[in-house]
Each structure stands twice: as C-alpha cells, then as structure tokens.
Amino acid sequence: MMHAPSSHNGLATAPHHLASQAGLSVLKDGGTAVEACVAMAATLAVVYPHMTGIGGDGFWLIHDPDGHVHAIDACGAAAARADLSLYAGLKDIPWRGPLAANTVAGTVSGWKQALAGDAGTLSLDRLLRDAIDLARQGVAVTEGGAQIAAAKHAELIAQRGAYGDIFAPGGRPLKQGERLCQPALAATLQMLADNGLQDFYTGKLARSIAADLVALGSPVTAADLEAHRAIEPRPLTLTVKGAHLYNTAPPTQGLASLLILALFDRLGVTEGEGFAHLHGLIEATKQAFLVRDSHVGDPAHMPVPAQSILDDRDALAAMAGRIDPARALPWPQDSALGDTCWFGAADARGQVVSCIQSTYFEFGSGLVLPQTGITWQNRGASFRLAQQGWNALAPGRKPFHTLNPALARFHDGRVMAYGTMGGEGQPQTQAAIFSRYAWFDVPLQQAVTMPRWLLGRTWGESSTTLKLESRFDPATVAALAAAGHDVEMLAPFTATMGHAGAVVRHADGLIEGATDPRSDGAVATW
C-alpha cells in the first residue's frame, strides 16, 4: 500500500475498515469530522474489542475550520476506594481482574464533550447506528483479534464476568472469520443513543454499570461515575522547521512525542532513512523518555508544567547536545505498555480531528460487565503502590497514559492529524511518520507503510531491544549495531510496530489519508 487516497469532500481513516466506513457514511450524510470520529469510536468498540471500547479512556485534538485547535482529556481518575489499603500485602496492582478495574472509563464523556462544542447536527442515534447494527448482527473476527484472544485466553477466561460468554463461547476463543455478536453492547449503545451520553455516568445505564462493577469486586462506584467529567486542557505546542506541532498534555506522553521531534530538529540531519535519521530519532527518544519518566503524570501532581519544558530553549539545546551522533546511549529504562486505536477524519469545511482511545491491555482488565457487555479498562494498573512520587496511587488521581494523538499545522497551510497504537512505540512511530512526510518529502501513505523501528516494549512484547522490521537496508542495520544499539530483527510487516494512520488537509481543500498495512484498516473517502 503506497498511495494515499484523496478527495475534496471528506475522509475517514481507522485501523478497521468497518470503522472507516462508519465515519465516511456520517460525512456523506452531512456530518462533521467530529461526528465522523464519534461514529468511528463507537464502531471500533464493537469491531476491535481487543484494542478499545467504551470502558476505556480517550483523548482528542480538534482543528476547527477557523484554525483554532483544542484538546479533550477523557481520562478517568482512580476510584474513591482505590487507595493503598485496598492493595495491602501486594507489591503491585494486578494487571487483570477487579483490582485492575480501579478507574472510571472516560471515553464516552469525550464523545459528549467533542459533540457539545461542535457545529454538527446529526442525532446520536444516527452517529451510533452502524456500531449498534454491527454489535447486534455480528462481525467477522480479525486475524489479529483471534491471535490475541488465543494468546491471552487463559488469563481472560479466568476472570469473573461475561468475557467467556461473549468472547469464548463453549470455552474456547473465537477464531478468525467467526461471527462475534455482542447483543448486550448493542443494547448499551442504543441506550446511549436514546437517553444521551451522560446516561453512562448519571442515568439508568450508570446504575447498571455500577452494579456490575461492585458485584465483580471493582472499587469503582456510582459516585465515582457521577463525579467524572471530561475536560479541555490547553494542548502542548511546539514550533519546528516548517510546522507548528500539537499534542495532548499530561497525563499523556504527548510531551515525549513533541520532545523527540524538537531534539531531532536540532541535529541537522538532511537525509532520511539512513543511519543519521534512525539513530538521531532513536537517541532523541531516549532523551525524551528520560524526561517523560521523571515528570509526566497527573498534571495536578507535576511540579514542572509540561509546556515549560518545551519552551525552555536552553534545556532543549542541552538535551540535544547529549546525543552522540555516532554512539548509542546505553539502554534500557523501564518501559510503558498498552494497546490503542488511533483514528482521524477531515471534512470539507476544514475541520481535522486526531483521536485515540484504549482499554490499555488487550481486553483491558478482563472484566466484561454482564448487563451491559462493556469491557472495563485496566489503565489504573499502571499506578505505583507508593505514598507519593511519580504515578503513585491515590483516590481521584489520573494515571499516566501512553495515549497521545498528534496534529501539525504546516506553515504552507496544510493540517495533518496522525497517530498510532503501540504503548511505548507511539511517540516513535509519530516521529517516523512526521519526519518522513514533513522533512524528507516522503508521500503520506509511504511514510506509514515504510519499515519502522521500536525502542523498548509495546503491547505483546516484553524485550527492551531496538526492534527493526527486516525491510531496512542491511547497511543501515549494521551501522546501528556497530554504534551500540541492541538490534533485534522482526518480520517485514509486524503489528509490533503499531497500527498507524494519518490525514492531511491541504490549503486548497484537497484531503488525503493513509492507513497502516499492518492493520485491518482502510481510508474511506468520496
């Protein structure tokens, strides 16, 4: 896949083709890019349940037709009962089960916030229509979904709740091509369409959700759901050669994504795909991750504001100066895990949206609520069981998030929305795609398709090596190894590198989009 589809009317891209089609159908019915993204978000919850769902969190970046860029933080906080006493005797929060389901799910509040500030006029029933139909009638299980269900079967089938009834009927995981029906989730989405999105937090639906969570042993209660609100923090911003960049503020790792590009921009690399390009971005990643892991968490508990780090030119110059152009900094550091879905859309008016949502691990905590069919996230399992310090557990505190959607406004008038799934790989893939497209003149789809790398861990991986797809020039691979990088070669197209996508709206109104051949996605346009 080497060519980016384009049009002037509107475009949607997602890592599953049915989600892209849902977004396109909304655009063709006169919907906005925001409305298309709500439709895609709901559809992804149905067709990609191993990656995302309405029991998770989400973040948005929205470029409006007038040029204003705003962000939405739909991240749920730790429950009031999720304190250190709840985990007495444990060294860490479990990754699965009710104690992992310790934060509110913010995704639906993000949809509500995005629609509240939008010019769209379509009904909720219309926006959720395709997702409801697909949940009720069933969808074909993807190859990746079947692989994950098989690999994680033992730990997921052991959880209380409805996981086995929905995703492993008869005691075995669903196989590729089999029909996955989710009638309870269909009914839940229909309730949201009928009663409004706030029903998730304060209505009849909220009462059903809370009852199931309490029955399954989660500390999240009806009071926690009622207290939740999505917010609109100021996006992080950075100016680099040719463009003004945007990303989401903490608790996301958007700071790291911007730092990588800020540092690489200072290295003076003039040619893409060779040693200088890859080594420079990899070493910039290390410097950015060191800053991220020292500072980023719930912004209410950060002594140094993230934007001030990006604004400190002397500090950026010092970080760039610590990058050896010939040698690799010894690694690893601790890495961040997680899986995700990024999706984006643009409409003819000039609105461009970059959106990302996740339940953290594959199928989140493994708790699937029997009454509603919602898979609840385990994002709060990343909290540290400590009295204070980075990402320490406390009631009402937001957990550190690998999620971060990206957006760029070029000096020539182009607007680019881009992102990927992949935990630790998200900032790295963003840097690969942006640097190729913006600085080395690689066409948009090629920038997504070309071989990628990953320093550290991502979903499904525990090693901390520098992973490279085998399509890289062997001479470049040899040079990286000679410079001290701990190189590990992977398959030519591997989902380990995430499922990326991008949308670009040109100043003349032309819109082009890219999807990742590593995913089940498509670009939908007309």
Side-chain angles (χ1 to χ4, degrees), residues 2-16:
M2 299 300 288
H3 303 290
S6 60
S7 79
H8 291 90
N9 296 318
L11 182 147
T13 183
H16 194 289

Side-chain angles (χ1 to χ4, degrees), residues 432-456:
I433 293 170
F434 181 83
S435 64
R436 284 167 167 164
Y437 176 78
W439 291 331
F440 301 124
D441 298 323
V442 176
L444 188 65
Q445 181 60 61
Q446 291 183 38
V448 172
T449 300
M450 290 172 71
R452 295 207 293 264
W453 64 90
L454 171 70
L455 175 71

Side-chain angles (χ1 to χ4, degrees), residues 161-222:
Y163 178 86
D165 295 336
I166 298 171
F167 300 110
R172 66 161 180 84
L174 289 170
K175 298 179 180 178
Q176 181 183 359
E178 290 187 322
R179 187 185 296 266
L180 168 62
C181 294
Q182 301 173 78
L185 183 58
T188 295
L189 291 170
Q190 188 64 62
M191 287 183 69
L192 291 173
D194 294 341
N195 303 330
L197 298 175
Q198 187 58 30
D199 201 43
F200 191 98
Y201 299 99
T202 58
K204 181 179 179 181
L205 178 57
R207 292 190 290 275
S208 294
I209 291 170
D212 273 351
L213 286 169
V214 171
L216 293 174
S218 165
V220 177
T221 66

Side-chain angles (χ1 to χ4, degrees), residues 67-134:
H68 175 64
V69 177
H70 58 108
I72 296 173
D73 172 337
C75 169
R81 294 179 51 231
D83 58 17
L84 294 180
S85 66
L86 183 66
Y87 301 93
L90 297 177
K91 181 180 179 181
D92 299 297
I93 297 173
W95 293 115
R96 302 287 193 188
L99 293 182
N102 58 8
T103 61
V104 173
T107 286
V108 173
S109 71
W111 303 355
K112 179 174 180 287
Q113 190 74 17
L115 292 170
D118 190 56
T121 59
L122 297 184
S123 68
L124 265 178
D125 189 64
R126 172 62 190 89
L127 299 183
L128 303 184
R129 183 190 70 191
D130 289 355
I132 293 168
D133 288 347
L134 290 167

Side-chain angles (χ1 to χ4, degrees), residues 1 17 30 116 136 216 257 286 349 402 416 421 451 467 516:
M1 190 178 299
H17 58 94
R136 183 179 296 122
L216 293 174
S257 295
K286 294 175 181 177
R349 301 174 306 125
T402 52
M416 179 182 184
M421 58 157 277
K467 300 167 184 65
D516 202 321

